[in-house]
Amino acid sequence: MSDSSNLVQCPFCKGITATRLVPPEPANKFLLTTYDSKTNNVFATTGFSVDAYGCGSCKKVWLENSALKFVEE
């Protein structure tokens, strides 16, 4: 499901045909989580809360997390 009343510019094709994707109820966010590919264990209690966006033209999807910070090592 999407929120087509708030179209944004797609960072890939530059079309104004992208929108935030709305997760099914009762959720209000998506969670980018991890899993162990050897055991198929999913670690659903940890991860990044993200907003997902999709483009109606090029069909690409991207994720955003406003709290994401990078630290130089």
Side-chain angles (χ1 to χ4, degrees):
M1 187 145 192
S2 65
D3 181 5
S4 61
S5 65
N6 295 311
L7 295 177
V8 296
Q9 185 175 30
C10 174
F12 302 103
C13 73
K14 307 303 182 207
I16 307 294
T17 54
T19 187
R20 187 176 72 86
L21 303 177
V22 180
E25 288 190 12
N28 62 1
K29 286 283 215 181
F30 289 96
L31 180 68
L32 179 61
T33 190
T34 58
Y35 86 104
D36 184 327
S37 62
K38 293 177 184 151
T39 63
N40 287 330
N41 287 337
V42 176
F43 307 105
T45 58
T46 61
F48 292 103
S49 173
V50 295
D51 288 316
Y53 291 83
C55 179
S57 294
C58 71
K59 309 301 185 210
K60 293 196 185 234
V61 174
W62 69 96
L63 306 174
E64 292 185 3
N65 175 303
S66 61
L68 189 63
K69 293 183 175 39
F70 291 94
V71 177
E72 286 188 43
E73 293 188 23

